[in-house]
Amino acid sequence: MKKHFLRWSYYTMGIALFASVLLISSCSDDNDLGAPPSLDVAPTTSQGLPGTEVSAAVTIDAPEGLSELIILKNGATFDSETFDGEKEATYDFVYEIENLPIGTVVNFTFQAIDNQDRYSNLATLAVTVSSKPLVEIGTAGASTIISANTTWTADKIYLLKGFVRVGDDVKRSGGTNVTGVTLTIEPGTIIMGDRESKGALIIQRGNKIMAEGTAELPIIFTSERAPGVRQPGDWSGLVIVGRATNNQGANVELEGAYGGFHGVGDAPIASPDEDNSGSLKYVRIEFAGNPINPNQEVNSLTMGSVGSGTTIDYVQASYGLDDSFEWFGGKVNAKHLVAYRGLDDDFDVDFGYTGNVQWALGIRDNTLADQSGSNGFEVDNDASGTAATPFTSPVFSNVTLIGPKKSRDLNIQDNFQNAMHIRRNNKIKIYNSFLTGFPNGLFIDGSTTRANAYGTNGTDGSLQFRNVYLAGVDNWGGNGYGEAGTVFGSGTTANGAQHPQAPRGFAVRDKDTQTVPVDIFMDAGNTIKPSTWFGTAAFGNKLVAKWQDSGINETIFDLGPTPTLLPSGGTEPLIMTTAIWNNCPEAGSFFDKTVTHIGAFGTTNWTSGWASFTPTTNVYQ
């Protein structure tokens, strides 16, 4: 022990020398040796009050025999343990949290040495000094059923491990029928998802979540990891499944096969579309989307057949690995939604969702896009574009979507696609909204979807866009997305499709056609172009050559704690003084029709106080 400890004491310059020693040892000419040692630590993050103990298991594999485990604290020697040549070992590390300032992060680094004096990889445990005790809910690798009314309080931090279910559903494998259970979460409560066990909170059919924060004390679902190392997909997410109708059946399971059954069930309740799954108000959901199975992520907020008796208001989804908000059927309404820098789609609608949404904001990160293609809206009737009823036909109004492309020279991830990907026979209505910064503005995908837009009288179909502003990027496509070409250099004009990342305004394709032209005929008779249809005078839609003319503030694109969300003038300001509701036939009583602005904001910043645009660095104690 002394030999190794003294040698390590001599090299107290930090972790960098670990790497150099590892590099030297890797050059050994002895090809008969087994692999160098390796180790893992679990968990990788922990927290607690001063005076409490936290623990972690260090698992070591050393084919040539284990000699020593070295432990650093914040880069300096903390401890070392000797071994007797074991090829496999587990070391139980225990640390009593010192009386340090709240929010302090103490980093422990572990490295093993084998009998050939070769060094392992590094593994780190980050311990955060907390002002609140940590309460673990659930068990890794299992389902935990909350079977009685339960309250989570703001004086504790809750860690979700595995699948935590409010109630249970007999349809899932091993499930039982548990209904009538309510989980109440106090304002200001912090709930963290365990990374290793893919922690998730699932509100099963017939049960409720009452998570009502305030603007001053929002409820926060977030990563367990320390500030600066949080990532999309650190935990699974929040799932609410209800008993309203969808167009797929009475018992439909969400993708991932984790028991998220939704639909009216085998014994439908009276008025299923009015089913009540509780309330989310002033809630943030951050770093969710851990894949349950490969390519089957949970969304930040997943809603399956959720009924209109449920309240969704003031909810922000940030840095999710999949969609920020996704509706699978149901009729739940929502107001004041924020989709912030998610990986896939901001608002994904499927399986016959027929609810209403007013005031929604989406802001993208130019480096974060999904391999499946990332959109502002992605809308389907179902996966095959059938005529299953109810049709996907929600109404969205007062939406602002800020795509990744702030300026012509800013490179964006190649998997970004459309502000609106409207496909597979849906009948969505989008009113009074502003969209900018995506490679494509409006993509109407498939002949059945085009027929829904064109309608029987040539002007007014069941797929509707009214008072929708599409704004382009200066010198990146002409007249708002490529139809007039792209300006290069000192005025040379080239076709917009030749520009890197090919900006286009109106993309339409037939089934099985993979090439998307700049502008093709829309209806079966080849008589109406999509841009012509979109520009029908009665619809009130507008193409704005560049977003600078629209009235939005440039900081809305940028990372920062306080983006300016309110309009600030411009040659075509978003604050409108004329009526914008008389051409919106499906905007019912749910909508506040006294507002006279296009997009999510007029004179009031409804994100103030409760929303956060710096979740990667926030200290949650």
Side-chain angles (χ1 to χ4, degrees):
M1 173 180 177
K2 184 175 181 180
K3 173 184 175 184
H4 286 305
F5 184 78
L6 290 177
R7 181 175 61 192
W8 178 249
S9 298
Y10 181 76
Y11 291 104
T12 55
M13 297 180 182
I15 294 174
L17 284 177
F18 275 130
S20 63
V21 173
L22 180 60
L23 178 62
I24 293 170
S25 67
S26 69
C27 298
S28 172
D29 293 329
D30 190 348
N31 294 325
D32 295 329
L33 291 177
S38 61
L39 59 78
D40 292 304
V41 61
T44 58
T45 61
S46 188
Q47 61 184 320
L49 298 168
T52 61
E53 289 186 345
V54 296
S55 61
V58 184
T59 305
I60 309 166
D61 183 20
E64 293 298 323
L66 178 61
S67 171
E68 185 177 3
L69 174 67
I70 297 170
I71 306 171
L72 303 181
K73 176 185 174 185
N74 292 334
T77 302
F78 177 71
D79 196 4
S80 66
E81 297 289 333
T82 57
F83 291 83
D84 296 322
E86 296 93 331
K87 293 187 176 182
E88 295 180 349
T90 299
Y91 174 73
D92 294 323
F93 174 76
V94 178
Y95 166 62
E96 182 176 309
I97 298 176
E98 300 156 273
N99 188 21
L100 297 170
I102 301 303
T104 299
V105 179
V106 182
N107 291 300
F108 292 95
T109 304
F110 304 87
Q111 189 170 47
I113 306 174
D114 70 5
N115 286 335
Q116 301 298 322
D117 286 341
R118 296 181 300 174
Y119 288 74
S120 75
N121 60 297
L122 305 174
T124 302
L125 165 66
V127 180
T128 302
V129 183
S130 172
S131 62
K132 302 175 182 180
L134 183 70
V135 179
E136 293 188 0
I137 306 294
T139 304
S143 285
T144 298
I145 312 302
I146 298 176
S147 57
N149 292 343
T150 299
T151 299
W152 292 351
T153 56
D155 60 345
K156 302 178 181 66
I157 295 175
Y158 296 85
L159 179 65
L160 302 171
K161 305 194 77 171
F163 296 119
V164 178
R165 305 176 189 274
V166 177
D168 200 7
D169 197 310
V170 71
K171 289 295 183 181
R172 76 172 185 90
S173 177
T176 57
N177 185 33
V178 179
T179 59
V181 177
T182 298
L183 171 64
T184 301
I185 304 177
E186 288 185 347
T189 303
I190 297 169
I191 303 97
M192 294 182 172
D194 180 59
R195 180 181 172 89
E196 183 179 9
S197 66
K198 304 180 180 181
L201 181 61
I202 305 168
I203 315 304
Q204 304 283 171
R205 286 186 292 190
N207 302 279
K208 294 181 180 180
I209 179 172
M210 297 300 295
E212 296 190 339
T214 66
E216 297 76 20
L217 293 171
I219 293 167
I220 302 168
F221 292 84
T222 191
S223 166
E224 65 163 333
R225 302 175 81 190
V229 296
R230 299 170 185 144
Q231 294 179 326
D234 275 346
W235 64 294
S236 291
L238 175 58
V239 179
I240 304 176
V241 284
R243 298 175 290 187
T245 54
N246 62 73
N247 63 20
Q248 297 295 294
N251 298 286
V252 183
E253 188 173 20
L254 296 169
E255 69 174 15
Y258 55 86
F261 281 89
H262 61 103
V264 297
D266 294 334
I269 62 173
S271 304
D273 282 342
E274 298 175 10
D275 186 36
N276 185 350
S277 294
S279 178
L280 298 182
K281 294 187 70 174
Y282 297 105
V283 170
R284 301 207 307 261
I285 306 168
E286 303 167 350
F287 305 102
N290 196 308
I292 300 298
N293 295 304
N295 297 316
Q296 293 184 328
E297 300 89 354
V298 178
N299 307 293
S300 295
L301 178 57
T302 303
M303 294 164 280
S305 299
V306 178
S308 63
T310 309
T311 298
I312 307 288
D313 199 3
Y314 298 102
V315 178
Q316 180 179 22
S318 300
Y319 287 99
L321 193 66
D322 198 41
D323 302 326
S324 295
F325 298 89
E326 183 158 11
W327 294 262
F328 293 95
K331 204 175 181 63
V332 62
N333 301 315
K335 289 184 177 180
H336 305 106
L337 305 182
V338 180
Y340 187 62
R341 298 183 185 271
L343 190 73
D344 198 3
D345 307 315
D346 292 325
F347 305 104
D348 195 330
V349 187
D350 207 343
F351 286 3
Y353 173 56
T354 57
N356 304 293
V357 177
Q358 187 173 23
W359 296 303
L361 170 67
I363 298 177
R364 303 308 296 245
D365 189 305
N366 67 298
T367 66
L368 299 176
D370 191 58
Q371 61 182 352
S372 65
S374 297
N375 308 281
F377 282 99
E378 183 173 272
V379 191
D380 306 279
N381 195 46
D382 59 21
S384 301
T386 73
T389 57
F391 272 94
T392 297
S393 54
V395 181
F396 282 76
S397 187
N398 299 104
V399 179
T400 293
L401 293 184
I402 304 299
K405 192 77 171 178
K406 179 179 181 179
S407 64
R408 180 187 185 279
D409 295 328
L410 177 67
N411 186 57
I412 64 175
Q413 219 278 347
D414 287 338
N415 289 322
F416 280 108
Q417 292 185 326
N418 315 283
M420 297 176 282
H421 192 176
I422 310 299
R423 63 182 186 176
R424 296 175 179 165
N425 204 18
N426 76 85
K427 300 181 178 182
I428 193 171
K429 286 80 176 166
I430 300 177
Y431 300 150
N432 306 319
S433 295
F434 174 83
L435 309 94
T436 189
F438 285 86
N440 297 322
L442 172 61
F443 186 177
I444 300 178
D445 192 351
S447 57
T448 53
T449 313
R450 297 203 309 274
N452 294 339
Y454 181 61
T456 57
N457 60 7
T459 58
D460 193 4
S462 53
L463 177 66
Q464 298 177 359
F465 305 99
R466 302 288 186 270
N467 315 311
V468 173
Y469 284 24
L470 281 176
V473 176
D474 197 15
N475 282 334
W476 187 62
N479 194 26
Y481 288 105
E483 286 194 337
T486 300
V487 177
F488 290 92
S490 60
T492 302
T493 300
N495 187 287
Q498 295 176 350
H499 187 281
Q501 299 169 328
R504 293 179 295 270
F506 296 89
V508 182
R509 71 179 177 199
D510 286 311
K511 182 181 179 182
D512 302 325
T513 300
Q514 297 305 314
T515 301
V516 182
V518 172
D519 195 2
I520 69 171
F521 293 115
M522 183 168 171
D523 69 314
N526 289 337
T527 58
I528 297 182
K529 294 181 179 181
S531 57
T532 302
W533 169 81
F534 183 82
T536 300
F539 295 172
N541 302 319
K542 293 187 179 181
L543 292 177
V544 182
K546 57 184 185 296
W547 57 260
Q548 288 89 342
D549 293 337
S550 67
I552 65 169
N553 188 285
E554 65 175 351
T555 65
I556 200 171
F557 287 89
D558 303 330
L559 281 171
T562 54
T564 300
L565 303 179
L566 300 185
S568 56
T571 59
E572 196 157 354
L574 295 179
I575 301 297
M576 308 297 290
T577 58
T578 57
I580 56 174
W581 294 98
N582 56 8
N583 62 347
C584 302
E586 300 300 321
S589 59
F590 167 82
F591 292 93
D592 179 357
K593 300 177 188 176
T594 65
V595 299
T596 58
H597 57 82
I598 298 293
F601 299 94
T603 58
T604 301
N605 180 4
W606 45 260
T607 70
S608 293
W610 67 276
S612 173
F613 300 96
T614 57
T616 56
T617 57
N618 289 344
V619 176
Y620 292 127
Q621 304 304 327

